[in-house]
Amino acid sequence: MTLQFDNSYARLPDRFYVRQAPVPVSRPALIRVNRPLAELLGIDPGWLESDEGVGVIAGNRVPDGAEPIATVYAGHQFGSWNPRLGDGRAILLGEVVGGDGERYDIQLKGSGITPFSRMGDGRAPLGPVLREYLVSEAMAALGIPTSRTLAAVTSGEDVYRETRLPGGVLVRVAKSHIRIGTLQYFASVDDLDGLELLVEHVIARHYPDVADADNPALALLERVVARQAALVASWQCVGFIHGVMNTDNMLLSGETIDYGPCAFMDAYDSAAVYSSIDHGGRYAYRNQPGIAQWNLACLAQTLLPLLDEDEKRATELAQAAIEAFPDLFYAAYFEGLQRKFGLTGAHDGDDTLMQDFLDLLQRTGSDFSLAFRRLGELVADRQEVTEVFDFADAFADWLERYRARCAQETDDAAARGARMLATNPAFIARNHLVEKAIAQGYDGDFEFFHRLNERLAKPFEFDLSDADLARPPAPDEVVQQTFCGT
Ligand code: AMP
Ligand code: MG
């Protein structure tokens, strides 16, 4: 089996990366290959599962055509500037063009020390590997732009964090790994040529239609702003909390990346924050749109020299692009909510009706995902998640108002209900389930991990035999904190 690599990033000048082979591990063992994704990439899943394939996943074997590199970037972490980050525990093997015609990075994560590892060991404990596999694939199945997971192995080696933990390696796939922080790096070292080259590369790769714009850098900024607004709106609509929205964790392609201390909310709480390192709640659920805009302002700052020769004019252009964010976000969010509620056409009072529902969820501590799922079932005249969730009495008046509003819809209620059930998942990557898969994985048992992964691939199909994967956590199962675990 040969992979058809075409490594456009490795063709950029060598100050963009360091050539670095992955560091082999002693006894790699396969956990899982994502067969449908392998097929999309034109990689034979059977080969990936073979000894040779497992060697590639583990970083023990560099496939022909790969040009392994660790890329350089910088970034704002929790608002503080860090001038040099870079791939400290990841190696970009190269790029392949998928059956969909799209170009994809194939990256190993947990693959050993690089010149960017600083104090780190370049490795990943098994827990974060399993979490990223489950959550990134759950996000993909929800239709949210995201990096994907192609495969994961255990390394046969221990890593040392607070305790000794078995290690793992994950193969991450993304349309690119170019971050706001990548541009920030070149701007911060006054490498204007590098900045221009990178902008050209990003445009060619992700926004080819802006190449001919009068002001391509400005058009790029506007497009990234729009994609991030849509992305964060889609997070809000499924109750996803990223947890570490640093500028080095925001991709210019508009895909979700860096599944560290992320979590889906169970009970709705607009102030929810899970990350153990997010003390001030900077990255709380309700702050995500504002933080995205903050990060985009950092992006705009780096692009200033390319926006206009006149500094004042450049600043005005950047400002206008960034100020477009709140409206773009709100429009996408409102549209997403309308789909969740099965409402079409923005009628007067829709925003209040929808906000009142969220307020009720908050007040009653109701499960965010299942409440919407149940709403879809009411419209579709079905009774499925009632096994695990139903509305409290406090919803009676609101449900009356909702029925009255639904009566104004002109389409067939069954079709509308079906659409709602295709938009409101019954199954999300709940924290307590992810933790259970991780705990069992640390004991060498991946059965629950596989089961959960397969269930989350079909989040909109309720199945009573998987009711235990749909229900909210019991009080003693609620996970209060998530850890980066890097
Ligand atoms: P993250 O918090 O995952 O976004 O990572 C922030 C920075 O720390 C990046 O430059 C990573 O490459 C680096 N890093 C995280 N974990 C490790 C590790 N175990 N070894 C080396 N570098 C790491
Ligand atoms: Mg990161």
Side-chain angles (χ1 to χ4, degrees):
M1 168 84 202
T2 50
L3 287 170
Q4 296 299 317
F5 283 106
D6 177 40
N7 308 322
S8 65
Y9 206 81
R11 289 196 288 271
L12 289 169
D14 54 15
R15 61 189 191 280
F16 282 70
Y17 48 77
V18 174
R19 295 198 185 268
Q20 169 73 55
V23 182
V25 298
S26 57
R27 279 176 299 114
L30 184 64
I31 302 170
R32 189 177 183 89
V33 163
N34 183 341
R35 291 186 144 250
L37 181 58
E39 275 157 15
L40 170 75
L41 297 174
I43 303 172
D44 173 10
W47 172 79
L48 259 187
E49 288 164 350
S50 72
D51 286 350
E52 202 178 305
V54 169
V56 170
I57 298 166
N60 289 12
R61 174 193 283 266
V62 175
D64 287 345
E67 293 173 88
I69 55 175
T71 70
V72 63
Y73 53 88
H76 282 90
Q77 299 177 302
F78 291 89
S80 307
W81 172 244
N82 191 327
R84 199 170 140 105
L85 290 161
D87 294 326
R89 56 161 165 184
I91 296 284
L92 178 61
L93 281 183
E95 302 155 30
V96 299
V97 176
D100 56 357
E102 294 275 349
R103 175 179 294 272
Y104 291 96
D105 274 5
I106 312 275
Q107 193 203 57
L108 305 184
K109 193 170 169 190
S111 49
I113 272 186
T114 78
F116 306 107
S117 297
R118 293 172 293 158
M119 305 300 282
D121 58 3
R123 293 300 186 191
L126 179 58
V129 166
L130 297 181
R131 175 184 295 277
E132 174 151 356
Y133 199 137
L134 289 169
V135 184
S136 67
E137 286 305 304
M139 291 284 274
L142 292 171
I144 296 175
T146 177
S147 72
R148 306 281 309 263
T149 301
L150 177 61
V153 295
T154 51
S155 62
E157 294 176 0
D158 289 333
V159 298
Y160 296 85
R161 296 296 180 262
E162 277 97 48
T163 55
R164 185 163 62 97
L165 296 165
V169 185
L170 175 118
V171 185
R172 181 159 70 183
V173 171
K175 291 201 173 141
S176 85
H177 285 82
I178 306 167
R179 306 142 193 273
I180 289 180
T182 319
L183 281 170
Q184 283 182 295
Y185 171 79
F186 289 97
S188 72
V189 296
D190 290 327
D191 182 351
L192 195 57
D193 286 346
L195 192 68
E196 272 181 76
L197 270 175
L198 191 56
V199 163
E200 248 173 58
H201 179 90
V202 170
I203 288 176
R205 210 162 154 177
H206 301 302
Y207 304 91
D209 52 308
V210 313
D212 298 328
D214 291 339
N215 186 337
L218 178 63
L220 172 67
L221 176 62
E222 289 168 347
R223 294 291 298 279
V224 176
V225 167
R227 268 199 207 172
Q228 286 294 339
L231 180 66
V232 176
S234 67
W235 292 355
Q236 302 304 92
C237 284
V238 295
F240 175 75
I241 302 167
H242 182 283
V244 57
M245 288 176 72
N246 296 335
T247 57
D248 53 304
N249 291 335
M250 230 160 120
L251 295 180
L252 297 180
S253 68
E255 294 188 311
T256 310
I257 193 163
D258 212 304
Y259 291 93
C262 58
F264 282 85
M265 302 197 286
D266 298 299
Y268 180 79
D269 175 13
S270 66
V273 41
Y274 291 92
S275 167
S276 61
I277 54 171
D278 190 359
H279 303 296
R282 177 181 170 90
Y283 299 143
Y285 174 74
R286 67 178 167 212
N287 291 348
Q288 294 190 126
I291 287 292
Q293 190 183 10
W294 191 92
N295 290 346
L296 291 162
C298 292
L299 171 65
Q301 184 86 29
T302 69
L303 292 175
L304 284 177
L306 306 183
L307 293 181
D308 201 281
E309 280 166 19
D310 176 53
E311 232 174 279
K312 186 160 166 281
R313 178 73 189 136
T315 308
E316 285 165 5
L317 292 171
Q319 197 105 30
I322 296 309
E323 280 169 6
F325 181 89
D327 284 349
L328 288 169
F329 167 77
Y330 191 74
Y333 177 61
F334 185 83
E335 215 185 287
L337 279 183
Q338 286 234 311
R339 268 197 306 277
K340 288 179 81 64
F341 284 96
L343 302 177
T344 56
H347 290 212
D348 275 351
D350 278 0
D351 44 1
T352 319
L353 182 74
M354 297 194 293
Q355 188 56 50
D356 287 350
F357 183 73
L358 295 176
D359 291 345
L360 265 171
L361 295 180
Q362 174 101 33
R363 201 148 53 72
T364 54
S366 295
D367 189 83
F368 177 67
S369 302
L370 293 178
F372 277 102
R373 183 73 187 183
R374 181 74 194 109
L375 215 50
E377 290 185 359
L378 286 176
V379 172
D381 198 18
R382 280 159 61 169
Q383 287 245 356
E384 291 174 344
V385 296
T386 45
E387 291 288 329
V388 290
F389 177 90
D390 208 354
F391 290 116
D393 292 344
F395 285 83
D397 288 349
W398 186 90
L399 287 168
E400 274 309 306
R401 286 165 60 202
Y402 178 65
R403 283 197 187 93
R405 171 63 181 84
C406 283
Q408 298 179 308
E409 293 291 326
T410 50
D411 64 350
D412 170 47
R416 179 157 23 95
R419 276 202 307 279
M420 290 171 72
L421 295 178
T423 223
N424 292 309
F427 299 97
I428 53 165
R430 291 181 189 275
N431 244 320
H432 69 293
L433 301 175
V434 173
E435 291 296 338
K436 182 176 165 185
I438 291 172
Q440 293 191 5
Y442 276 134
D443 287 335
D445 176 359
F446 296 101
E447 204 178 302
F448 187 70
F449 166 79
H450 292 306
R451 179 178 168 225
L452 187 55
N453 178 254
E454 278 155 31
R455 182 64 264 172
L456 294 173
K458 298 189 184 108
F460 302 113
E461 293 169 26
F462 187 74
D463 182 341
L464 201 52
S465 67
D466 279 333
D468 59 317
L469 304 183
R471 70 167 171 77
D476 65 331
E477 291 175 318
V478 173
V479 175
Q480 304 292 352
Q481 279 199 328
T482 52
F483 299 88
C484 253
T486 57

